[in-house]
Amino acid sequence: MDDTGALDVLLNEVRVFRPLPQTIIEANVNPQEVTGAYRLAQEDPLAYWEEAALELEWFRKWDRVLDSDNPPFYRWFPGGQCNIVHNALDRHIRTVNRNKLALIWEGEPGDSRKFTYFELYRAVNRFAGALRSLGVRKGDRVAVFMPLLPETLIAMLATAKIGAVHVCVFGGFSAKALSERICDSQARVVVTADGFYRNGKVINQKAIVDEALNSACADCVDTVVVVHRAGVDVDMVSARDIWYEDLVRSEAPETRTEVMEATDPLFLLHTSGTSGRAKGIVHTHGGYMVGVARTMNWIFDIKPTDIFWCTADAGWITGHSYVVYAPLLCGTTTLMYEGHPLYPQADRLWSIVARYGVTALYTTPTLIRMLMRYGSQFPRQHDISSLRMLGSVGEPLNPEAWVWFHRHIGRGECPLMDTWWQTETGMCMLSPLPVSVLKPGSVNKPLPGVEAEVVDRQGQPVPPGKGGFLVLTKPWPGMLQTLWNDPKGYAQAYWEKIPGVYVTGDVARKDEDGYFWIQGRADEVINIAGHNIGTAEIESALCVHKAVAEAAVVGVPDKIKGEVAKAFVVLSEGRELGEDLVRELKAMVRRELGPVVVLKSVAFVESLPRTKAGKILRRVLRAQELGVDPGDLSVLDEE
Ligand code: PRX
């Protein structure tokens, strides 16, 4: 990028979707209340968050809402004592939620399990007691390397209940990635499964743990707890490995919930993003609990009758926040599906929605585009009219995919919440609310109590309509507290690039109405003849063409222009590639974005390289194109 970091804005999306009158009437937070919340949050953000905190139960009230004495090491609710599990489970047992479904789980082969709040409470207590009997104490780390099973959620909650710190590692990671995370966190216990089902195959997961624990720095692990899932043969190492079922059998269904300081760590979660370096993000009990509960309630308009399905794996932040913690904090029913979204065929999602009466579906642009590629005949085969709220997160949702999702899945009626946030932010930060006016492709505005801005390299706000760096200008309760073992790295990575603000690493623009549009990652911006252009805009323009299901764009060197764009395109079902199509796509980009964007070439590919979390790995495409080292490939999804 140039000196100022200014970005050219070329995409001009003008469609607007207003909330239906019925949505406004039924919304938990009506437009007047939203306006009031914004006013309060602007005048006194701490009062806004204090009000949110008071909706939860605390063992001791905080001395201050926020301690900003030592920035950027902000401390939320210091002096307050709580435990997120008390709010997510214990307190529901005394209310009408006691016998309500907390969790619905479906395995890939079609088996299903359900837990009421009471049943889940007892299961969590048993495993919490078991962890205590293994010698796990407050502050110790427990690694959770699991497929998406009820026991995954149980292990996380049980760990938090006794004040230990969970370190989830996505179950599809390699032994190397697992051992790095175990070594970094010095976990004492690993919770895993024998294996799991994925796309019709059985994956042997325990073998990966065995390999990971071969490395010397994994000596910290004294116990491996193994859940029976797929019936694969495993080697149980004596004195180290124990079956989950054997461990919990004799445990009591009640055990004490540890009293935690609000600022005590709840979990570590390593993020490698698309860049490759794993950092241990630290989240706490108090602030995180307040942040995820409030955002869940407001964005998804939670009602007592909801069945909430966030399709993320529990091993990612989206799963931590909106599969596990927030739904339970809100007393709603969370749904988990173990397997591949297209197994045994492309209607699996819709069949799950129809069978359980899912009311809110929170998913990713990758999955939306994938399902869109298979066409609307699949959702039409099922009655998905129970859906009332839609959500998206993880990558820019291009307007064409937005409109498809809204029309074909949401009947043109369901509010579609495109939520922007990060592992580091813990909770949704920019997002519409159900009563908002929606613009496809925009993540709307910062939520009440969140302050975001688009700035140049010096930290000066850029005028509306111009692109720049997306920063967060005030601390927020769900924020990471630090990087594990690396407080200096925390300050440097997020707070020192532009002094005084949190740098997200994304580029964005704000339009005349104050709506934010994410243009991609700052390190992926393409500079064509002095114009800085975000990858998301070019990709969105390509997706306007009916033949394009998905696109990834990278910059390649050019003698005259400095850089030009190269597109990698996945075609929609039944579309033919050819010279004509290349010409049409080039013309399409020119028409949508103007002559500035020189699309040099188009390659047709079967699929795009992605991280295991489903994000497009543009650096791999670029490296391939330039014949250079693609960097760390352990995050690459081989599927
Ligand atoms: O680039 C943004 C993109 O995902 C990044 C955060 O990734 P991660 O820490 O893995 O967390 C993902 C789930 C919270 C952001 O810096 N991102 C996330 N949501 C959006 C998005 N990009 C565009 N639109 C979004 N709604």
Side-chain angles (χ1 to χ4, degrees):
M1 271 207 254
D2 67 11
D3 284 351
T4 61
L7 206 66
D8 281 291
V9 173
L10 305 166
L11 193 72
N12 186 24
E13 172 60 53
V14 292
R15 284 170 284 189
V16 162
F17 291 77
R18 294 185 187 284
L20 301 182
Q22 200 60 21
T23 306
I24 296 180
I25 293 167
E26 288 171 4
N28 293 343
V29 189
N30 66 37
Q32 292 75 28
E33 288 164 323
V34 171
T35 310
Y38 274 110
R39 194 176 315 118
L40 170 64
Q42 246 137 39
E43 283 163 10
D44 189 351
L46 300 188
Y48 172 81
W49 287 117
E50 179 155 47
E51 201 182 279
L54 288 168
E55 288 175 4
L56 296 160
E57 291 185 1
W58 297 74
F59 303 132
R60 179 185 186 277
K61 203 178 161 198
W62 46 91
D63 299 327
R64 279 196 280 174
V65 176
L66 175 64
D67 167 5
S68 306
D69 294 349
N70 181 27
F73 299 92
Y74 297 98
R75 298 166 71 240
W76 282 86
F77 306 107
Q81 290 180 328
C82 62
N83 188 310
I84 195 168
V85 180
H86 172 82
N87 280 288
L89 276 186
D90 303 2
R91 73 181 165 127
H92 295 305
I93 305 311
R94 293 182 265 112
T95 72
V96 289
N97 286 339
R98 179 185 173 95
N99 295 320
K100 175 178 174 173
L101 280 185
L103 169 64
I104 299 173
W105 172 88
E106 180 162 297
E108 192 181 81
D111 46 340
S112 167
R113 291 163 71 191
K114 293 178 180 171
F115 292 73
T116 63
Y117 272 89
F118 180 62
E119 288 164 338
L120 188 63
Y121 169 80
R122 288 167 68 108
V124 166
N125 276 295
R126 285 208 168 85
F127 193 51
L131 287 173
R132 277 201 177 113
S133 72
L134 292 174
V136 178
R137 297 285 172 263
K138 189 173 183 169
D140 288 347
R141 273 80 56 208
V142 173
V144 179
F145 181 61
M146 287 281 279
L148 199 55
L149 300 179
E151 285 76 10
T152 313
L153 178 147
I154 292 167
M156 291 165 74
L157 294 170
T159 303
K161 182 173 174 108
I162 63 166
V165 177
H166 55 74
V167 186
C168 289
V169 180
F170 171 62
F173 267 134
S174 64
K176 181 166 167 280
L178 174 61
S179 82
E180 270 169 20
R181 286 156 178 77
I182 290 173
C183 295
D184 183 47
S185 61
Q186 289 294 292
R188 295 190 53 180
V189 173
V190 179
V191 186
T192 191
D194 57 348
F196 60 91
Y197 298 92
R198 185 78 189 170
N199 219 355
K201 292 193 282 287
V202 172
I203 314 287
N204 184 337
Q205 193 168 28
K206 171 65 166 52
I208 299 173
V209 176
D210 293 338
E211 192 186 332
L213 294 187
N214 276 337
S215 94
C217 63
D219 272 357
C220 49
V221 173
D222 39 50
T223 312
V224 176
V225 181
V226 190
V227 177
H228 272 114
R229 166 58 187 145
V232 287
D233 274 343
V234 297
D235 293 328
M236 295 294 276
V237 176
S238 69
R240 186 196 75 182
D241 299 355
I242 180 160
W243 290 104
Y244 178 93
E245 295 75 4
D246 294 338
L247 187 64
V248 296
R249 191 166 296 125
S250 56
E251 290 295 334
E254 290 273 351
T255 188
R256 183 174 46 84
T257 298
E258 196 73 39
V259 174
M260 304 301 287
E261 296 300 318
T263 51
D264 278 340
L266 166 65
F267 64 83
L268 306 185
L269 186 57
H270 291 84
T271 172
S272 42
T274 44
S275 65
R277 202 166 47 84
K279 300 178 279 202
I281 308 293
V282 182
H283 282 290
T284 59
H285 273 259
Y288 175 80
M289 156 177 103
V290 173
V292 298
R294 169 51 64 99
T295 48
M296 172 99 191
N297 242 324
W298 283 45
I299 296 170
F300 293 104
D301 194 39
I302 296 303
K303 311 273 194 229
T305 47
D306 276 329
I307 307 279
F308 184 82
W309 185 15
C310 166
T311 61
D313 189 278
W316 308 119
I317 191 67
T318 311
H320 281 56
S321 298
Y322 298 101
V323 174
V324 177
Y325 286 111
L328 300 180
L329 286 167
C330 295
T332 193
T333 306
T334 188
L335 190 142
M336 285 171 135
Y337 165 58
E338 173 193 36
H340 193 283
L342 302 181
Y343 183 85
Q345 55 183 28
D347 72 336
R348 183 62 181 260
L349 244 67
W350 317 126
S351 130
I352 292 176
V353 168
R355 278 183 288 114
Y356 299 104
V358 171
T359 57
L361 178 66
Y362 187 26
T363 189
T364 61
T366 292
L367 193 53
I368 296 167
R369 287 189 290 258
M370 189 150 82
L371 294 164
M372 182 175 164
R373 187 180 176 199
Y374 285 92
S376 53
Q377 70 274 20
F378 285 102
R380 274 205 301 271
Q381 289 166 8
H382 299 272
D383 177 5
I384 56 170
S385 60
S386 55
L387 284 173
R388 151 183 112 65
M389 292 293 312
L390 301 176
S392 171
V393 61
E395 283 188 296
L397 179 59
N398 55 293
E400 294 322 303
W402 193 105
V403 168
W404 183 85
F405 194 39
H406 187 251
R407 179 178 303 153
H408 293 285
I409 308 306
R411 312 177 297 282
E413 293 172 3
C414 302
L416 198 178
M417 307 290 100
D418 185 354
T419 63
W420 179 94
W421 55 295
Q422 306 179 301
T423 306
E424 292 85 342
T425 70
M427 62 186 226
C428 295
M429 300 295 282
L430 286 90
S431 169
L433 294 168
V435 299
S436 305
V437 174
L438 306 174
K439 300 188 186 186
S442 163
V443 294
N444 221 268
K445 299 180 183 184
L447 289 165
V450 173
E451 298 285 330
E453 197 43 273
V454 178
V455 301
D456 63 19
R457 225 178 262 291
Q458 278 69 45
Q460 293 306 313
V462 301
K466 294 256 181 282
F469 300 102
L470 178 66
V471 299
L472 303 169
T473 56
K474 289 236 168 68
W476 64 97
M479 67 193 294
L480 74 164
Q481 198 169 46
T482 186
L483 293 181
W484 186 250
N485 287 334
D486 189 13
K488 259 208 196 100
Y490 161 67
Q492 276 164 2
Y494 302 105
W495 295 94
E496 286 172 6
K497 292 186 176 144
I498 301 176
V501 297
Y502 172 95
V503 175
T504 66
D506 283 6
V507 286
R509 75 175 151 106
K510 204 157 85 165
D511 70 16
E512 305 287 339
D513 300 325
Y515 280 54
F516 286 69
W517 302 72
I518 307 296
Q519 292 172 281
R521 293 292 295 167
D523 53 12
E524 291 175 339
V525 165
I526 301 174
N527 188 307
I528 306 178
H531 296 276
N532 287 313
I533 299 158
T535 47
E537 295 209 327
I538 312 178
E539 290 160 6
S540 286
L542 284 161
C543 288
V544 173
H545 197 292
K546 288 273 175 287
V548 176
E550 265 207 307
V553 168
V554 299
V556 290
D558 180 85
K559 280 208 191 72
I560 298 162
K561 308 253 174 206
E563 253 184 330
V564 287
K566 163 143 195 182
F568 295 82
V569 168
V570 179
L571 291 178
S572 309
E573 283 286 286
R575 301 304 289 240
E576 300 270 317
L577 45 110
E579 279 309 306
D580 286 353
L581 185 54
V582 172
R583 261 195 304 280
E584 280 174 39
L585 292 179
K586 287 185 176 174
M588 176 69 98
V589 168
R590 202 182 158 90
R591 188 163 68 237
E592 293 285 315
L593 303 181
V596 167
V597 183
V598 183
L599 185 59
K600 179 80 182 260
S601 56
V602 180
F604 295 101
V605 290
E606 274 293 305
S607 63
L608 298 171
R610 298 187 179 286
T611 66
K612 290 180 193 286
K615 286 184 208 290
I616 299 171
L617 263 172
R618 294 178 190 79
R619 73 176 157 88
V620 171
L621 293 169
R622 190 158 191 275
Q624 207 176 4
E625 196 56 31
L626 305 183
V628 297
D629 177 15
D632 180 10
L633 289 181
S634 68
V635 293
L636 188 72
D637 184 9
E638 289 93 16
E639 249 183 36

